Amino acid sequence: MGSGIELVVIGADGGPDRTYTGSAQAAAGARALAEALPGRAFDAGPNGCRLTLLDPAADANAMLTALRAAAARPARWLVVCLLGQLAVDPRGRRLALVTAGSTPDNAYRRGLAWDWVVSAMVHGGQEETLLMVDAVADRDTWSALVREDAANELLAHSRVPLWGRIGRHQTGRRGRDAVRPGGEGSFSRLLGQVLDQGLPGGPAAIGPQELQPVLDVELARHDGGAAAAGQAVTLMPWDGGRLLMRNRAAVRGALAGLSLSEELLAVLWRENAPTDPPNA
Protein backbone atom coordinates (compact mmCIF):
# COMPACT_ATOMS: atom_id res chain seq x y z
CA MET A 1 0.00 0.00 0.00
CA GLY A 2 1.38 3.42 -0.94
CA SER A 3 1.70 6.25 1.54
CA GLY A 4 1.60 9.99 1.36
CA ILE A 5 -0.79 12.54 -0.10
CA GLU A 6 -0.46 14.44 -3.36
CA LEU A 7 -2.34 17.69 -2.79
CA VAL A 8 -3.02 19.98 -5.77
CA VAL A 9 -4.69 23.31 -5.00
CA ILE A 10 -6.01 25.46 -7.86
CA GLY A 11 -7.59 28.83 -7.16
CA ALA A 12 -8.19 30.36 -10.59
CA ASP A 13 -8.64 34.11 -10.92
CA GLY A 14 -10.88 34.81 -13.91
CA GLY A 15 -9.50 38.29 -14.37
CA PRO A 16 -11.09 41.74 -14.61
CA ASP A 17 -14.14 40.88 -16.73
CA ARG A 18 -17.24 41.62 -14.64
CA THR A 19 -18.84 38.38 -15.79
CA TYR A 20 -16.30 36.40 -13.76
CA THR A 21 -16.06 38.38 -10.55
CA GLY A 22 -17.15 35.21 -8.76
CA SER A 23 -13.51 34.08 -8.86
CA ALA A 24 -12.05 37.26 -7.38
CA GLN A 25 -11.25 35.64 -4.00
CA ALA A 26 -10.35 32.16 -5.26
CA ALA A 27 -6.62 32.71 -4.85
CA ALA A 28 -7.08 33.67 -1.18
CA GLY A 29 -9.14 30.54 -0.55
CA ALA A 30 -6.53 28.40 -2.28
CA ARG A 31 -3.81 29.79 -0.03
CA ALA A 32 -5.98 29.12 3.04
CA LEU A 33 -6.45 25.47 2.05
CA ALA A 34 -2.76 25.11 1.18
CA GLU A 35 -1.93 26.27 4.71
CA ALA A 36 -4.61 24.24 6.51
CA LEU A 37 -4.65 20.83 4.85
CA PRO A 38 -1.05 19.51 4.79
CA GLY A 39 -0.50 19.76 8.54
CA ARG A 40 -3.85 18.13 9.34
CA ALA A 41 -3.48 14.93 7.32
CA PHE A 42 -4.06 12.02 9.70
CA ASP A 43 -3.05 9.05 7.56
CA ALA A 44 -0.43 10.50 5.20
CA GLY A 45 2.13 7.96 6.40
CA PRO A 46 5.90 8.50 6.41
CA ASN A 47 5.87 10.33 3.07
CA GLY A 48 3.67 13.13 4.38
CA CYS A 49 1.87 15.56 2.10
CA ARG A 50 3.36 17.03 -1.07
CA LEU A 51 1.70 20.35 -1.94
CA THR A 52 1.32 21.84 -5.41
CA LEU A 53 -0.20 25.34 -5.26
CA LEU A 54 -0.90 26.81 -8.68
CA ASP A 55 -0.46 30.46 -9.62
CA PRO A 56 -3.97 31.98 -9.83
CA ALA A 57 -3.01 33.53 -13.18
CA ALA A 58 -1.86 30.22 -14.69
CA ASP A 59 -3.50 29.03 -17.89
CA ALA A 60 -5.35 25.74 -18.28
CA ASN A 61 -2.36 23.95 -19.81
CA ALA A 62 -0.14 24.78 -16.84
CA MET A 63 -2.83 23.64 -14.43
CA LEU A 64 -3.39 20.37 -16.24
CA THR A 65 0.35 19.70 -16.51
CA ALA A 66 0.78 20.15 -12.75
CA LEU A 67 -2.20 17.92 -12.04
CA ARG A 68 -0.94 15.15 -14.30
CA ALA A 69 2.51 15.34 -12.73
CA ALA A 70 0.99 14.88 -9.27
CA ALA A 71 -1.20 12.02 -10.49
CA ALA A 72 1.89 10.26 -11.89
CA ARG A 73 3.72 10.24 -8.54
CA PRO A 74 3.19 7.26 -6.20
CA ALA A 75 1.06 8.04 -3.16
CA ARG A 76 -1.93 6.71 -1.32
CA TRP A 77 -4.07 9.81 -1.90
CA LEU A 78 -4.58 12.32 -4.69
CA VAL A 79 -6.53 15.31 -3.38
CA VAL A 80 -7.38 18.12 -5.81
CA CYS A 81 -8.97 21.44 -4.79
CA LEU A 82 -10.72 23.60 -7.40
CA LEU A 83 -11.75 27.14 -6.50
CA GLY A 84 -13.28 29.77 -8.74
CA GLN A 85 -16.09 30.28 -11.21
CA LEU A 86 -17.43 27.63 -13.56
CA ALA A 87 -18.42 28.12 -17.19
CA VAL A 88 -20.38 25.83 -19.49
CA ASP A 89 -20.21 25.20 -23.23
CA PRO A 90 -23.12 26.42 -25.43
CA ARG A 91 -24.76 22.99 -25.32
CA GLY A 92 -24.65 22.91 -21.55
CA ARG A 93 -22.87 19.57 -21.40
CA ARG A 94 -19.28 20.35 -20.42
CA LEU A 95 -17.88 22.40 -17.57
CA ALA A 96 -14.67 24.35 -17.18
CA LEU A 97 -13.02 26.34 -14.42
CA VAL A 98 -12.65 29.90 -15.69
CA THR A 99 -8.99 30.93 -15.99
CA ALA A 100 -7.31 34.33 -16.07
CA GLY A 101 -8.10 36.70 -18.90
CA SER A 102 -11.28 34.96 -19.98
CA THR A 103 -14.16 36.73 -21.69
CA PRO A 104 -17.75 35.56 -22.19
CA ASP A 105 -16.78 34.47 -25.70
CA ASN A 106 -13.84 32.23 -24.78
CA ALA A 107 -14.18 31.27 -21.10
CA TYR A 108 -15.14 27.68 -21.77
CA ARG A 109 -12.57 27.10 -24.50
CA ARG A 110 -9.63 28.47 -22.54
CA GLY A 111 -10.71 27.22 -19.12
CA LEU A 112 -9.64 24.09 -17.24
CA ALA A 113 -12.15 21.49 -18.40
CA TRP A 114 -13.74 19.52 -15.58
CA ASP A 115 -13.52 16.25 -17.52
CA TRP A 116 -9.75 16.78 -17.92
CA VAL A 117 -9.42 17.01 -14.16
CA VAL A 118 -11.53 13.92 -13.54
CA SER A 119 -9.69 11.93 -16.22
CA ALA A 120 -6.29 12.79 -14.74
CA MET A 121 -7.46 11.72 -11.30
CA VAL A 122 -9.00 8.46 -12.52
CA HIS A 123 -5.84 7.48 -14.40
CA GLY A 124 -3.46 8.37 -11.58
CA GLY A 125 -1.61 5.75 -9.56
CA GLN A 126 -3.12 6.63 -6.19
CA GLU A 127 -5.40 4.31 -4.25
CA GLU A 128 -7.78 7.05 -3.09
CA THR A 129 -8.98 10.30 -4.63
CA LEU A 130 -10.96 13.31 -3.46
CA LEU A 131 -11.98 16.37 -5.47
CA MET A 132 -12.73 19.37 -3.26
CA VAL A 133 -14.74 22.17 -4.85
CA ASP A 134 -15.48 25.73 -3.82
CA ALA A 135 -17.11 27.31 -6.87
CA VAL A 136 -19.89 29.47 -8.22
CA ALA A 137 -21.79 29.32 -11.50
CA ASP A 138 -23.60 31.97 -13.50
CA ARG A 139 -27.23 31.56 -14.58
CA ASP A 140 -26.58 29.39 -17.68
CA THR A 141 -23.99 27.22 -15.96
CA TRP A 142 -26.21 26.78 -12.92
CA SER A 143 -29.10 25.70 -15.16
CA ALA A 144 -26.84 23.08 -16.78
CA LEU A 145 -25.71 21.77 -13.42
CA VAL A 146 -29.20 21.17 -12.11
CA ARG A 147 -30.32 19.30 -15.24
CA GLU A 148 -29.85 15.57 -14.77
CA ASP A 149 -29.13 14.92 -18.46
CA ALA A 150 -26.37 17.52 -18.89
CA ALA A 151 -23.23 18.73 -17.11
CA ASN A 152 -24.59 17.42 -13.82
CA GLU A 153 -23.43 13.95 -14.88
CA LEU A 154 -19.85 15.05 -14.23
CA LEU A 155 -20.64 15.48 -10.56
CA ALA A 156 -21.28 11.77 -10.07
CA HIS A 157 -18.14 9.95 -11.21
CA SER A 158 -17.86 6.66 -9.32
CA ARG A 159 -14.09 6.94 -8.77
CA VAL A 160 -13.80 10.61 -7.88
CA PRO A 161 -15.72 11.52 -4.71
CA LEU A 162 -16.62 15.19 -4.36
CA TRP A 163 -16.63 17.40 -1.32
CA GLY A 164 -17.50 21.07 -1.24
CA ARG A 165 -20.05 23.55 -2.46
CA ILE A 166 -21.23 25.14 -5.69
CA GLY A 167 -23.43 28.21 -5.54
CA ARG A 168 -25.17 30.38 -8.07
CA HIS A 169 -23.24 33.58 -8.68
CA GLN A 170 -25.47 36.61 -8.63
CA THR A 171 -25.41 40.10 -7.20
CA GLY A 172 -27.50 40.29 -4.08
CA ARG A 173 -30.07 42.87 -3.21
CA ARG A 174 -28.93 46.37 -2.31
CA GLY A 175 -25.67 45.81 -4.15
CA ARG A 176 -24.41 43.02 -1.91
CA ASP A 177 -22.59 40.18 -3.61
CA ALA A 178 -23.19 36.55 -2.76
CA VAL A 179 -20.40 34.68 -0.95
CA ARG A 180 -17.55 34.10 -3.38
CA PRO A 181 -15.27 31.07 -3.42
CA GLY A 182 -12.34 31.74 -1.13
CA GLY A 183 -14.00 34.78 0.40
CA GLU A 184 -15.24 35.26 3.93
CA GLY A 185 -17.90 32.66 4.70
CA SER A 186 -16.98 30.39 1.78
CA PHE A 187 -16.51 26.63 2.01
CA SER A 188 -12.72 26.79 1.69
CA ARG A 189 -12.21 29.53 4.24
CA LEU A 190 -14.59 27.95 6.75
CA LEU A 191 -12.99 24.54 6.36
CA GLY A 192 -9.60 26.03 7.17
CA GLN A 193 -11.02 27.76 10.24
CA VAL A 194 -12.78 24.63 11.51
CA LEU A 195 -9.66 22.52 11.06
CA ASP A 196 -7.62 25.12 12.92
CA GLN A 197 -10.06 25.20 15.84
CA GLY A 198 -10.94 21.51 15.84
CA LEU A 199 -14.20 19.85 16.88
CA PRO A 200 -14.60 19.76 20.68
CA GLY A 201 -15.87 16.36 21.75
CA GLY A 202 -15.08 14.79 18.39
CA PRO A 203 -12.75 11.87 17.68
CA ALA A 204 -9.03 12.33 17.13
CA ALA A 205 -9.45 11.65 13.40
CA ILE A 206 -12.20 13.54 11.58
CA GLY A 207 -13.34 13.52 7.97
CA PRO A 208 -16.02 15.11 5.80
CA GLN A 209 -18.82 13.26 7.58
CA GLU A 210 -17.90 14.82 10.94
CA LEU A 211 -16.97 18.24 9.57
CA GLN A 212 -19.92 18.87 7.26
CA PRO A 213 -22.61 19.51 9.92
CA VAL A 214 -20.45 22.25 11.41
CA LEU A 215 -19.70 23.70 7.97
CA ASP A 216 -23.41 23.66 7.10
CA VAL A 217 -24.24 25.82 10.10
CA GLU A 218 -21.53 28.33 9.28
CA LEU A 219 -22.33 28.39 5.57
CA ALA A 220 -26.00 29.08 6.28
CA ARG A 221 -25.02 31.93 8.55
CA HIS A 222 -23.03 33.62 5.79
CA ASP A 223 -24.91 32.86 2.57
CA GLY A 224 -28.27 34.33 3.47
CA GLY A 225 -30.16 31.05 3.00
CA ALA A 226 -28.91 30.32 -0.52
CA ALA A 227 -29.01 26.56 -0.02
CA ALA A 228 -32.56 26.64 1.35
CA ALA A 229 -33.59 28.72 -1.66
CA GLY A 230 -32.11 26.24 -4.10
CA GLN A 231 -29.24 28.57 -5.05
CA ALA A 232 -26.41 26.42 -3.70
CA VAL A 233 -25.63 22.73 -3.51
CA THR A 234 -23.45 20.88 -1.03
CA LEU A 235 -21.29 18.09 -2.44
CA MET A 236 -20.57 15.18 -0.12
CA PRO A 237 -18.40 12.14 -0.92
CA TRP A 238 -20.55 9.17 -1.79
CA ASP A 239 -18.45 7.02 0.55
CA GLY A 240 -18.89 9.45 3.44
CA GLY A 241 -15.36 10.77 3.09
CA ARG A 242 -12.34 8.57 3.72
CA LEU A 243 -9.75 11.34 4.02
CA LEU A 244 -9.06 11.76 7.73
CA MET A 245 -7.61 14.84 9.40
CA ARG A 246 -6.34 15.49 12.90
CA ASN A 247 -8.79 16.97 15.34
CA ARG A 248 -6.83 19.65 17.17
CA ALA A 249 -9.52 19.98 19.83
CA ALA A 250 -9.24 16.29 20.69
CA VAL A 251 -5.48 16.55 21.06
CA ARG A 252 -5.77 19.60 23.29
CA GLY A 253 -8.41 17.84 25.39
CA ALA A 254 -6.28 14.75 25.80
CA LEU A 255 -3.26 16.77 26.89
CA ALA A 256 -5.32 18.86 29.28
CA GLY A 257 -6.54 15.76 31.11
CA LEU A 258 -3.19 13.99 31.20
CA SER A 259 -1.38 13.64 34.50
CA LEU A 260 2.33 13.61 33.73
CA SER A 261 4.30 11.31 35.98
CA GLU A 262 7.96 11.92 36.81
CA GLU A 263 8.88 8.91 34.68
CA LEU A 264 6.98 10.29 31.65
CA LEU A 265 8.54 13.70 32.12
CA ALA A 266 11.97 12.07 32.14
CA VAL A 267 11.18 10.27 28.88
CA LEU A 268 9.97 13.49 27.28
CA TRP A 269 13.10 15.29 28.46
CA ARG A 270 15.32 12.58 26.93
CA GLU A 271 13.38 12.72 23.63
CA ASN A 272 13.91 16.46 23.34
CA ALA A 273 17.38 16.75 24.82
CA PRO A 274 20.23 17.85 22.52
CA THR A 275 22.36 15.01 21.16
CA ASP A 276 25.57 17.03 20.86
CA PRO A 277 27.71 17.75 23.93
CA PRO A 278 27.70 21.35 25.14
CA ASN A 279 30.49 23.61 24.00
CA ALA A 280 33.46 23.70 26.28
Side-chain angles (χ1 to χ4, degrees):
M1 177 180 291
S3 65
I5 296 175
E6 286 289 335
L7 174 62
V8 181
V9 183
I10 300 175
D13 185 347
D17 193 291
R18 291 193 305 171
T19 307
Y20 301 119
T21 56
S23 64
Q25 300 296 320
R31 290 192 298 269
L33 286 180
E35 293 174 0
L37 293 176
R40 303 289 181 267
F42 186 83
D43 55 355
N47 290 337
C49 182
R50 184 201 296 261
L51 169 66
T52 302
L53 176 61
L54 273 293
D55 186 328
D59 61 22
N61 287 333
M63 293 176 178
L64 184 60
T65 297
L67 175 54
R68 285 175 172 169
R73 290 190 286 263
R76 179 183 175 189
W77 277 95
L78 174 60
V79 179
V80 178
C81 306
L82 296 182
L83 297 89
Q85 186 162 340
L86 300 174
V88 70
D89 72 307
R91 298 179 62 190
R93 295 187 177 277
R94 299 187 71 191
L95 288 173
L97 184 70
V98 177
T99 52
S102 296
T103 68
D105 295 330
N106 64 20
Y108 171 70
R109 291 193 302 273
R110 69 181 296 164
L112 177 64
W114 185 289
D115 53 321
W116 294 354
V117 174
V118 171
S119 177
M121 297 180 71
V122 168
H123 292 95
Q126 292 77 22
E127 301 169 32
E128 306 270 7
T129 63
L130 179 65
L131 179 52
M132 298 176 63
V133 183
D134 186 4
V136 291
D138 62 19
R139 181 185 60 187
D140 293 340
T141 305
W142 181 259
S143 296
L145 285 171
V146 298
R147 293 207 317 266
E148 295 182 357
D149 62 339
N152 180 55
E153 295 178 357
L154 288 173
L155 305 183
H157 197 287
S158 61
R159 292 180 58 188
V160 181
L162 295 174
W163 186 28
R165 183 179 176 91
I166 299 176
R168 180 175 173 181
H169 178 54
Q170 56 185 343
T171 301
R173 295 181 179 179
R174 299 179 182 176
R176 293 184 58 190
D177 288 339
V179 173
R180 298 174 180 177
E184 190 66 28
S186 66
F187 173 83
S188 52
R189 291 286 290 275
L190 290 173
L191 176 59
Q193 293 169 16
V194 171
L195 288 176
D196 186 58
Q197 298 167 2
L199 294 182
I206 51 178
Q209 200 163 13
E210 291 77 24
L211 289 163
Q212 193 58 50
V214 180
L215 293 173
D216 285 341
V217 172
E218 290 300 312
L219 288 165
R221 189 166 67 88
H222 287 86
D223 70 5
Q231 301 298 308
V233 59
T234 297
L235 308 171
M236 270 295 291
W238 51 264
D239 58 2
R242 297 164 60 90
L243 180 68
L244 298 179
M245 288 161 280
R246 300 181 187 278
N247 184 2
R248 294 191 66 186
V251 174
R252 287 195 298 267
L255 292 177
L258 182 64
S259 177
L260 298 180
S261 66
E262 291 184 1
E263 181 177 327
L264 178 56
L265 288 172
V267 171
L268 293 173
W269 184 88
R270 288 197 300 270
E271 289 289 336
N272 293 280
T275 55
D276 296 329
N279 293 330

